[in-house]
Amino acid sequence: MERLLKPTVLLLLVILCSPRIGIALTNEEIFSQFQFNYITPGARATAVGGAFIGLADDATAVDTNPAGLLKLYEPETSVEFKNISYIAEQIYKNRTCGQSIQKKEFTDRVNGVPFLSVVYPYNIKQKKIVFSAYRQESVKYKSSYRTDSFPIYSIADLCLRIYPIDASIDLSVTNYGLGIAMELFEGVSLGVSPRWSLLQLSSHSARFIADGVSLLDQEVSREYIINDDDSGFGINLGAMWELTPKFSIGMAYRGGTDFRVDIEEGRGKNIALDSDQSRFTLNLPDSFGIGAAVRAIDSGKSRLQLTMDILYIRYQNLLKDFDIILEGSESDDYEIDNATELHFGIEYGLKFNSLIQALYLRMGAYNDPDHGIRYAGPFQLVRDLFPGSKEYIHLTGGIGVVINKKFQIDSAVNLAESGTQVSLSSVYRF
């Protein structure tokens, strides 16, 4: 999926301690600000702003647009290394009902190998077919979060309060898949990429009743733990139409996968969970995309390529099986918008007759719209816990080199207010 997933997770398993209302713990609250970032895998695609559906001419096509695999003429292996930093703004403290709630930024960082693949073209009865096998980390996230040692109050809700919390999460979704692409007729190719996905989730949330003492010394009031995994199947579909040698159009569909894991009760006087609330459900969104690539310049010495994608993501899938139970409130109080992303990229290449065959300079940009879960009900404090998100603009860039026609190295950086990605990819053709 994620393709690269870049969440800013709130990490609050909330219990509101007030005689006015009560909220039962549910699995979805840990993802109240879950942010998906459908950037494509691979440093090259990242550098051009993820605008790759209409181009899709390297091994990462198996995820972005499987039909693009048909553009590969030699067997090759590909691997990507990535460092990601996340910046999440969370509610942090106030001391009385009359004070506004202060927020605090929490930064976390992960490293990994999010993409690894092998591609093999093959001719069958004069028909070219390209096969691929791959492993992809579409989600890799770690974070910890701790509020101030005093309760947080809301004057708008007649001093409704929540007690301090200490929480952590370790989340990954790893895909293992196969891809196949073939030519339907001249200039038109189709591709399919079925995948098996494994979710691994370890999280801990402890809430304390205290007034200013170190959280580690306080009595645990509520504690809930998730340490479970689940698996499921999904599929990517793609089509590519090369209208001319310099202009191509691609279309892609990525099916979401549903996961369910168990929530366990830890220390404290926990609120009893019914059968629905004791299961954490994560329904990954479906996405639909269309893209175009134009080779504006293609001479013996240089090449200029422009790409653009439009991606529609059904984030409302996240509210499927949404189980929050709030007295005086319905599940309709929680909303999330589907989103449309626009991706743009430029790649300029210089060709040489030496050990270094080509040098590529790349840049791009895309928008990451508001798609956080938000509460639209009557309680202001719950609106603070589920505020939704905001739109971020990502700027990307990178450099690539081809050495002796067989070996290629690409680098990329992805900059936004919500965090930074740095990636390095290598390709070996044999």
Side-chain angles (χ1 to χ4, degrees), residues 84-157:
I84 310 171
S85 67
Y86 303 106
I87 302 174
E89 187 179 65
Q90 319 286 18
I91 64 170
Y92 182 63
K93 71 175 181 179
N94 67 0
R95 296 296 173 88
T96 68
C97 291
Q99 291 183 341
S100 60
I101 297 177
Q102 298 180 30
K103 295 184 178 182
K104 181 178 179 180
E105 287 187 348
F106 292 84
T107 302
D108 293 275
R109 187 179 301 273
V110 297
N111 299 285
V113 182
F115 187 77
L116 178 66
S117 75
V118 177
V119 176
Y120 189 82
Y122 192 75
N123 291 320
I124 301 178
K125 296 182 179 179
Q126 297 183 338
K127 280 286 188 179
K128 180 185 175 185
I129 299 178
V130 180
F131 300 93
S132 175
Y134 73 100
R135 174 191 179 275
Q136 179 203 10
E137 293 178 346
S138 57
V139 181
K140 187 176 179 65
Y141 186 82
K142 293 182 180 180
S143 184
S144 59
Y145 170 64
R146 176 177 291 189
T147 64
D148 184 45
S149 299
F150 288 84
I152 298 174
Y153 299 88
S154 173
I155 189 173
D157 301 314

Coordinates of all heavy atoms in Angstrom, one line a residue, residues 84-157:
I84 N 13.1 7.2 7.9 CA 11.9 8.1 8.0 C 11.8 8.7 9.3 O 12.0 8.0 10.4 CB 10.6 7.2 7.7 CG1 10.7 6.4 6.5 CG2 9.4 8.1 7.6 CD1 9.6 5.4 6.3
S85 N 11.5 10.0 9.4 CA 11.2 10.6 10.7 C 9.8 11.1 10.6 O 9.3 11.6 9.6 CB 12.2 11.8 10.9 OG 11.9 12.9 9.9
Y86 N 9.1 11.0 11.8 CA 7.7 11.4 11.9 C 7.6 12.5 12.9 O 8.2 12.4 14.0 CB 6.8 10.2 12.4 CG 6.9 9.0 11.5 CD1 7.6 7.8 11.9 CD2 6.2 8.9 10.3 CE1 7.6 6.7 11.1 CE2 6.2 7.8 9.5 CZ 7.0 6.7 9.9 OH 7.0 5.6 9.1
I87 N 6.8 13.5 12.6 CA 6.5 14.6 13.6 C 5.1 14.6 13.8 O 4.3 14.8 12.9 CB 7.0 15.9 13.0 CG1 8.5 15.9 12.7 CG2 6.7 17.0 14.0 CD1 9.0 17.1 12.0
A88 N 4.6 14.3 15.1 CA 3.2 14.3 15.4 C 3.0 15.3 16.5 O 3.7 15.3 17.5 CB 2.8 12.9 15.9
E89 N 2.0 16.1 16.4 CA 1.6 17.1 17.4 C 0.4 16.5 18.2 O -0.6 16.2 17.6 CB 1.2 18.4 16.8 CG 0.9 19.5 17.8 CD 0.5 20.8 17.1 OE1 -0.5 20.9 16.5 OE2 1.3 21.8 17.3
Q90 N 0.6 16.4 19.5 CA -0.4 15.8 20.4 C -0.8 16.8 21.5 O 0.0 17.6 21.9 CB 0.2 14.5 21.0 CG 1.0 13.6 20.1 CD 0.2 12.8 19.2 OE1 -1.0 13.2 18.9 NE2 0.8 11.8 18.6
I91 N -2.0 16.6 22.0 CA -2.4 17.3 23.2 C -1.5 16.9 24.4 O -1.1 15.7 24.5 CB -3.9 17.2 23.6 CG1 -4.2 15.7 24.0 CG2 -4.8 17.6 22.4 CD1 -5.6 15.6 24.6
Y92 N -1.0 17.9 25.2 CA 0.0 17.6 26.2 C -0.4 17.9 27.6 O -0.3 17.1 28.5 CB 1.3 18.3 25.8 CG 2.4 18.0 26.7 CD1 2.9 16.7 26.9 CD2 3.0 19.0 27.5 CE1 4.0 16.4 27.7 CE2 4.1 18.7 28.3 CZ 4.6 17.4 28.5 OH 5.6 17.1 29.3
K93 N -0.9 19.2 27.8 CA -1.2 19.6 29.2 C -2.0 20.8 29.3 O -2.1 21.6 28.4 CB 0.1 19.8 30.0 CG 0.9 21.0 29.6 CD 2.1 21.2 30.5 CE 2.9 22.5 30.2 NZ 4.0 22.7 31.1
N94 N -2.7 21.0 30.4 CA -3.1 22.2 31.0 C -3.3 21.9 32.5 O -3.3 20.7 32.9 CB -4.3 22.8 30.4 CG -5.6 22.0 30.6 OD1 -5.6 20.9 31.2 ND2 -6.7 22.5 30.0
R95 N -3.4 22.9 33.4 CA -3.5 22.6 34.8 C -4.8 22.9 35.4 O -5.1 22.4 36.5 CB -2.4 23.4 35.5 CG -0.9 23.0 35.1 CD -0.6 21.6 35.5 NE 0.7 21.1 35.0 CZ 1.8 21.2 35.5 NH1 1.9 21.9 36.7 NH2 2.9 20.8 35.0
T96 N -5.6 23.7 34.8 CA -7.0 24.1 35.3 C -7.9 24.1 34.1 O -7.5 24.2 33.0 CB -6.9 25.4 36.0 OG1 -6.7 26.5 35.1 CG2 -5.9 25.4 37.1
C97 N -9.2 24.2 34.5 CA -10.2 24.3 33.5 C -10.1 25.6 32.7 O -10.5 25.7 31.5 CB -11.6 24.3 34.1 SG -12.0 22.7 34.8
G98 N -9.6 26.6 33.3 CA -9.5 27.9 32.6 C -8.3 28.1 31.7 O -8.2 29.0 30.9
Q99 N -7.4 27.1 31.6 CA -6.3 27.2 30.7 C -6.5 26.5 29.4 O -7.2 25.4 29.4 CB -5.0 26.6 31.4 CG -4.5 27.4 32.5 CD -3.2 26.7 33.1 OE1 -2.9 25.5 32.9 NE2 -2.4 27.5 33.8
S100 N -6.0 27.0 28.3 CA -6.1 26.3 27.1 C -5.2 25.1 27.1 O -4.2 25.1 27.8 CB -5.8 27.2 25.9 OG -4.4 27.7 26.1
I101 N -5.6 24.1 26.3 CA -4.8 22.9 26.2 C -3.5 23.1 25.3 O -3.6 23.6 24.2 CB -5.6 21.7 25.6 CG1 -6.8 21.4 26.5 CG2 -4.8 20.5 25.4 CD1 -7.7 20.4 26.0
Q102 N -2.4 22.8 25.9 CA -1.1 23.0 25.1 C -0.8 21.7 24.4 O -1.2 20.6 24.9 CB 0.0 23.3 26.1 CG -0.1 24.6 26.8 CD 1.1 24.8 27.7 OE1 2.2 24.4 27.4 NE2 0.8 25.6 28.8
K103 N -0.2 21.8 23.2 CA 0.2 20.7 22.4 C 1.7 20.6 22.4 O 2.4 21.5 22.6 CB -0.4 20.7 21.0 CG -1.9 20.7 21.0 CD -2.5 20.6 19.6 CE -4.0 20.5 19.6 NZ -4.5 20.4 18.2
K104 N 2.2 19.4 22.0 CA 3.6 19.2 22.0 C 3.9 18.3 20.8 O 3.2 17.4 20.5 CB 4.1 18.5 23.3 CG 5.6 18.2 23.3 CD 6.0 17.6 24.7 CE 7.5 17.3 24.7 NZ 7.9 16.8 26.0
E105 N 5.0 18.6 20.1 CA 5.5 17.8 19.0 C 6.3 16.6 19.5 O 7.3 16.8 20.3 CB 6.3 18.6 18.0 CG 5.4 19.6 17.2 CD 6.2 20.2 16.1 OE1 7.4 20.1 16.1 OE2 5.5 20.8 15.2
F106 N 6.1 15.4 19.0 CA 6.8 14.2 19.3 C 7.4 13.7 18.0 O 6.7 13.5 17.0 CB 6.0 13.2 19.9 CG 5.5 13.5 21.3 CD1 4.3 14.3 21.5 CD2 6.2 13.1 22.4 CE1 3.9 14.7 22.7 CE2 5.7 13.5 23.7 CZ 4.6 14.2 23.9
T107 N 8.8 13.5 18.0 CA 9.5 13.0 16.8 C 10.0 11.6 17.0 O 10.6 11.4 18.0 CB 10.6 14.0 16.5 OG1 10.1 15.3 16.3 CG2 11.3 13.6 15.2
D108 N 9.8 10.8 16.0 CA 10.3 9.4 16.1 C 10.9 9.1 14.7 O 10.6 9.7 13.7 CB 9.2 8.4 16.4 CG 8.7 8.6 17.8 OD1 9.3 8.0 18.8 OD2 7.7 9.3 18.0
R109 N 11.8 8.1 14.7 CA 12.6 7.8 13.5 C 12.7 6.2 13.3 O 12.8 5.5 14.3 CB 13.9 8.4 13.5 CG 14.8 8.3 12.3 CD 16.1 8.9 12.5 NE 16.0 10.3 12.8 CZ 15.9 11.3 11.9 NH1 15.9 11.0 10.6 NH2 15.8 12.6 12.3
V110 N 12.5 5.8 12.1 CA 12.7 4.3 11.8 C 13.6 4.2 10.6 O 13.7 5.1 9.7 CB 11.3 3.6 11.6 CG1 10.5 3.7 12.8 CG2 10.6 4.2 10.4
N111 N 14.2 3.0 10.5 CA 15.1 2.6 9.4 C 14.6 1.3 8.9 O 14.0 0.5 9.6 CB 16.5 2.5 9.7 CG 17.1 3.8 10.2 OD1 17.4 4.8 9.4 ND2 17.3 3.9 11.5
G112 N 14.8 1.0 7.6 CA 14.3 -0.3 7.1 C 14.7 -0.5 5.6 O 15.3 0.3 5.0
V113 N 14.3 -1.7 5.2 CA 14.5 -2.1 3.8 C 13.1 -2.3 3.2 O 12.5 -3.4 3.2 CB 15.3 -3.4 3.6 CG1 15.5 -3.7 2.1 CG2 16.7 -3.2 4.3
P114 N 12.4 -1.2 2.8 CA 11.0 -1.3 2.4 C 10.7 -2.0 1.1 O 9.5 -2.4 0.9 CB 10.6 0.2 2.4 CG 11.8 0.9 2.0 CD 12.9 0.2 2.7
F115 N 11.7 -2.2 0.3 CA 11.4 -2.9 -1.0 C 12.6 -3.7 -1.5 O 13.7 -3.3 -1.4 CB 11.1 -1.8 -2.1 CG 10.6 -2.4 -3.4 CD1 9.3 -2.8 -3.5 CD2 11.5 -2.5 -4.5 CE1 8.9 -3.4 -4.7 CE2 11.0 -3.0 -5.7 CZ 9.7 -3.5 -5.8
L116 N 12.2 -4.9 -2.0 CA 13.2 -5.9 -2.5 C 12.5 -6.7 -3.5 O 11.4 -7.2 -3.3 CB 13.7 -6.8 -1.4 CG 14.7 -7.9 -1.7 CD1 16.0 -7.3 -2.2 CD2 15.0 -8.8 -0.5
S117 N 13.1 -6.8 -4.7 CA 12.4 -7.5 -5.8 C 13.4 -8.2 -6.8 O 14.6 -7.8 -6.9 CB 11.5 -6.6 -6.6 OG 12.2 -5.8 -7.4
V118 N 12.9 -9.2 -7.5 CA 13.5 -9.8 -8.6 C 12.6 -9.8 -9.8 O 11.4 -10.1 -9.7 CB 14.0 -11.2 -8.3 CG1 14.6 -11.9 -9.5 CG2 14.9 -11.3 -7.1
V119 N 13.1 -9.4 -11.0 CA 12.3 -9.3 -12.2 C 12.9 -10.1 -13.3 O 14.1 -10.1 -13.5 CB 12.1 -7.8 -12.7 CG1 11.4 -7.8 -14.0 CG2 11.5 -7.0 -11.7
Y120 N 12.0 -10.9 -14.0 CA 12.6 -11.8 -15.1 C 11.6 -11.7 -16.3 O 10.5 -12.2 -16.3 CB 12.7 -13.2 -14.6 CG 13.4 -14.1 -15.6 CD1 14.8 -14.1 -15.6 CD2 12.7 -14.9 -16.5 CE1 15.5 -14.9 -16.5 CE2 13.4 -15.7 -17.4 CZ 14.8 -15.7 -17.4 OH 15.4 -16.5 -18.3
P121 N 12.1 -11.1 -17.4 CA 11.3 -11.1 -18.7 C 11.4 -12.5 -19.4 O 12.5 -13.1 -19.3 CB 11.9 -10.0 -19.5 CG 12.9 -9.3 -18.6 CD 13.3 -10.3 -17.5
Y122 N 10.4 -12.9 -20.1 CA 10.4 -14.2 -20.7 C 9.5 -14.1 -22.0 O 8.4 -13.5 -22.0 CB 9.8 -15.3 -19.7 CG 10.0 -16.7 -20.2 CD1 11.3 -17.3 -20.1 CD2 9.0 -17.4 -20.7 CE1 11.5 -18.6 -20.5 CE2 9.2 -18.7 -21.1 CZ 10.4 -19.3 -21.0 OH 10.6 -20.6 -21.4
N123 N 9.9 -14.8 -23.0 CA 9.1 -14.8 -24.3 C 8.5 -16.2 -24.4 O 9.1 -17.2 -24.3 CB 10.0 -14.6 -25.5 CG 10.5 -13.2 -25.5 OD1 9.8 -12.2 -25.2 ND2 11.8 -13.0 -25.9
I124 N 7.2 -16.2 -24.6 CA 6.4 -17.4 -24.8 C 5.6 -17.2 -26.2 O 4.7 -16.3 -26.3 CB 5.4 -17.6 -23.7 CG1 6.1 -17.7 -22.4 CG2 4.5 -18.8 -24.0 CD1 5.2 -17.9 -21.2
K125 N 6.0 -18.0 -27.2 CA 5.3 -18.0 -28.5 C 5.3 -16.5 -29.0 O 4.2 -16.0 -29.4 CB 3.9 -18.5 -28.4 CG 3.9 -20.0 -28.0 CD 2.4 -20.5 -28.0 CE 2.4 -22.0 -27.7 NZ 1.0 -22.6 -27.6
Q126 N 6.5 -15.9 -29.0 CA 6.7 -14.6 -29.5 C 5.9 -13.5 -28.7 O 5.7 -12.4 -29.2 CB 6.3 -14.5 -31.0 CG 7.2 -15.4 -31.9 CD 6.8 -15.3 -33.3 OE1 5.7 -14.8 -33.7 NE2 7.8 -15.6 -34.2
K127 N 5.4 -13.9 -27.6 CA 4.7 -12.9 -26.7 C 5.6 -12.7 -25.5 O 6.0 -13.7 -24.8 CB 3.4 -13.4 -26.2 CG 2.3 -13.3 -27.3 CD 1.8 -11.8 -27.4 CE 0.6 -11.7 -28.2 NZ 0.2 -10.3 -28.3
K128 N 5.9 -11.5 -25.2 CA 6.7 -11.1 -24.0 C 5.9 -11.1 -22.7 O 4.8 -10.5 -22.7 CB 7.4 -9.8 -24.2 CG 8.3 -9.4 -23.1 CD 8.8 -8.0 -23.3 CE 9.6 -7.5 -22.1 NZ 10.1 -6.1 -22.2
I129 N 6.4 -11.8 -21.7 CA 5.7 -11.8 -20.4 C 6.8 -11.5 -19.4 O 7.9 -12.1 -19.5 CB 5.0 -13.2 -20.1 CG1 3.9 -13.5 -21.1 CG2 4.4 -13.1 -18.7 CD1 3.3 -14.8 -20.9
V130 N 6.5 -10.7 -18.4 CA 7.5 -10.3 -17.4 C 6.9 -10.8 -16.0 O 5.8 -10.5 -15.7 CB 7.7 -8.8 -17.4 CG1 8.8 -8.5 -16.3 CG2 8.3 -8.4 -18.8
F131 N 7.8 -11.5 -15.3 CA 7.4 -12.0 -14.0 C 8.2 -11.2 -12.9 O 9.4 -10.8 -13.2 CB 7.7 -13.5 -13.8 CG 7.0 -14.3 -14.8 CD1 7.6 -14.7 -16.0 CD2 5.7 -14.8 -14.5 CE1 6.9 -15.4 -16.9 CE2 5.0 -15.6 -15.4 CZ 5.6 -15.9 -16.6
S132 N 7.6 -11.1 -11.7 CA 8.3 -10.4 -10.6 C 7.9 -11.1 -9.3 O 6.8 -11.5 -9.1 CB 7.9 -8.9 -10.6 OG 8.5 -8.3 -9.5
A133 N 8.9 -11.1 -8.4 CA 8.6 -11.5 -7.0 C 9.2 -10.4 -6.1 O 10.3 -9.9 -6.4 CB 9.3 -12.9 -6.7
Y134 N 8.4 -10.1 -5.1 CA 8.9 -8.9 -4.3 C 8.4 -9.0 -2.8 O 7.5 -9.7 -2.5 CB 8.3 -7.6 -4.9 CG 6.9 -7.4 -4.7 CD1 6.4 -6.5 -3.7 CD2 5.9 -8.0 -5.5 CE1 5.0 -6.3 -3.5 CE2 4.6 -7.8 -5.3 CZ 4.1 -6.9 -4.3 OH 2.8 -6.7 -4.1
R135 N 9.2 -8.2 -2.0 CA 8.8 -8.0 -0.6 C 8.8 -6.5 -0.4 O 9.7 -5.8 -0.8 CB 9.9 -8.7 0.3 CG 9.6 -8.4 1.8 CD 10.8 -8.8 2.6 NE 10.7 -8.5 4.1 CZ 11.0 -7.3 4.6 NH1 11.4 -6.3 3.9 NH2 10.8 -7.1 5.9
Q136 N 7.7 -6.1 0.3 CA 7.6 -4.6 0.5 C 7.1 -4.3 1.9 O 6.1 -5.0 2.4 CB 6.6 -4.0 -0.5 CG 6.4 -2.5 -0.3 CD 5.1 -2.1 -0.9 OE1 4.3 -2.9 -1.3 NE2 4.9 -0.7 -1.0
E137 N 7.7 -3.4 2.6 CA 7.2 -2.9 3.9 C 6.3 -1.7 3.6 O 6.8 -0.6 3.4 CB 8.3 -2.6 4.8 CG 9.1 -3.7 5.3 CD 10.2 -3.3 6.2 OE1 10.6 -2.1 6.3 OE2 10.8 -4.2 6.9
S138 N 5.0 -1.9 3.5 CA 4.1 -0.7 3.2 C 3.9 0.1 4.5 O 3.5 1.3 4.3 CB 2.8 -1.2 2.6 OG 2.1 -2.1 3.5
V139 N 4.1 -0.4 5.6 CA 4.0 0.4 6.9 C 5.1 -0.1 7.8 O 5.3 -1.3 8.0 CB 2.6 0.1 7.6 CG1 2.6 0.9 8.9 CG2 1.5 0.4 6.7
K140 N 5.8 0.9 8.4 CA 6.8 0.6 9.4 C 6.8 1.8 10.3 O 7.3 2.9 9.9 CB 8.2 0.3 8.8 CG 9.2 -0.1 9.8 CD 10.5 -0.5 9.1 CE 11.6 -0.9 10.2 NZ 11.2 -2.2 10.8
Y141 N 6.3 1.7 11.5 CA 6.2 2.8 12.4 C 6.4 2.4 13.9 O 6.0 1.4 14.3 CB 4.7 3.3 12.3 CG 4.5 4.6 13.1 CD1 4.9 5.9 12.5 CD2 3.9 4.6 14.3 CE1 4.6 7.0 13.2 CE2 3.7 5.8 15.0 CZ 4.1 7.0 14.5 OH 3.9 8.2 15.1
K142 N 7.2 3.3 14.5 CA 7.4 3.2 16.0 C 7.2 4.5 16.6 O 7.6 5.5 16.1 CB 8.8 2.6 16.3 CG 9.1 1.2 15.9 CD 10.5 0.8 16.2 CE 10.7 -0.6 15.8 NZ 12.1 -1.1 16.2
S143 N 6.6 4.6 17.8 CA 6.4 5.8 18.5 C 6.1 5.6 19.9 O 5.7 4.6 20.4 CB 5.2 6.6 17.8 OG 5.1 7.9 18.4
S144 N 6.4 6.6 20.7 CA 6.1 6.7 22.2 C 5.5 8.0 22.5 O 5.9 9.0 21.9 CB 7.3 6.3 23.0 OG 8.3 7.2 22.8
Y145 N 4.7 8.1 23.5 CA 4.0 9.4 23.8 C 3.6 9.4 25.3 O 3.2 8.4 25.8 CB 2.7 9.4 22.9 CG 1.7 10.5 23.3 CD1 2.1 11.9 23.2 CD2 0.5 10.2 23.8 CE1 1.2 12.9 23.5 CE2 -0.4 11.2 24.1 CZ -0.1 12.5 24.0 OH -0.9 13.5 24.3
R146 N 3.9 10.6 25.9 CA 3.6 10.7 27.3 C 3.1 12.1 27.6 O 3.8 13.1 27.2 CB 4.9 10.5 28.1 CG 4.7 10.7 29.6 CD 5.9 10.4 30.4 NE 6.1 8.9 30.4 CZ 7.1 8.4 31.2 NH1 7.8 9.1 32.0 NH2 7.2 7.1 31.2
T147 N 2.0 12.2 28.2 CA 1.4 13.6 28.6 C 2.1 14.1 29.8 O 2.9 13.4 30.5 CB -0.1 13.5 28.8 OG1 -0.3 12.7 29.9 CG2 -0.8 12.9 27.6
D148 N 1.7 15.3 30.2 CA 2.1 15.9 31.5 C 1.6 15.1 32.6 O 0.6 14.3 32.4 CB 1.6 17.3 31.5 CG 2.1 18.1 32.8 OD1 3.3 17.9 33.1 OD2 1.3 18.7 33.4
S149 N 2.1 15.2 33.8 CA 1.7 14.4 35.0 C 0.4 14.9 35.6 O -0.1 14.2 36.5 CB 2.8 14.5 36.0 OG 4.0 13.9 35.5
F150 N -0.2 15.9 35.1 CA -1.5 16.4 35.6 C -2.6 16.0 34.6 O -2.4 15.9 33.4 CB -1.5 17.9 35.8 CG -0.7 18.3 37.0 CD1 0.7 18.5 36.8 CD2 -1.2 18.6 38.2 CE1 1.5 18.9 37.9 CE2 -0.4 19.0 39.3 CZ 0.9 19.2 39.1
P151 N -3.9 15.9 35.1 CA -5.0 15.7 34.2 C -5.1 16.9 33.2 O -4.7 18.0 33.5 CB -6.2 15.6 35.1 CG -5.6 15.3 36.5 CD -4.3 15.9 36.5
I152 N -5.8 16.6 32.1 CA -6.1 17.6 31.1 C -7.5 17.9 31.1 O -8.4 17.0 31.1 CB -5.6 17.1 29.7 CG1 -4.1 16.9 29.6 CG2 -6.0 18.1 28.6 CD1 -3.7 16.3 28.3
Y153 N -7.9 19.2 31.2 CA -9.3 19.6 31.4 C -9.8 20.4 30.2 O -9.1 20.9 29.4 CB -9.4 20.6 32.6 CG -8.9 20.0 34.0 CD1 -7.6 20.1 34.3 CD2 -9.8 19.4 34.8 CE1 -7.2 19.5 35.6 CE2 -9.4 18.9 36.0 CZ -8.1 18.9 36.4 OH -7.7 18.4 37.6
S154 N -11.1 20.4 30.1 CA -11.8 21.1 29.1 C -12.9 22.0 29.7 O -13.9 21.5 30.2 CB -12.5 20.1 28.1 OG -13.2 20.8 27.1
I155 N -12.7 23.3 29.6 CA -13.7 24.2 30.2 C -15.0 24.2 29.4 O -16.1 24.4 29.9 CB -13.1 25.7 30.2 CG1 -14.1 26.6 31.0 CG2 -12.9 26.2 28.8 CD1 -13.5 28.0 31.2
A156 N -14.9 23.9 28.1 CA -16.1 23.8 27.2 C -17.0 22.7 27.6 O -18.2 22.7 27.3 CB -15.7 23.7 25.8
D157 N -16.5 21.7 28.3 CA -17.3 20.5 28.7 C -17.5 20.5 30.2 O -17.5 19.4 30.8 CB -16.6 19.2 28.3 CG -16.4 19.2 26.7 OD1 -17.4 19.5 26.0 OD2 -15.3 18.9 26.3

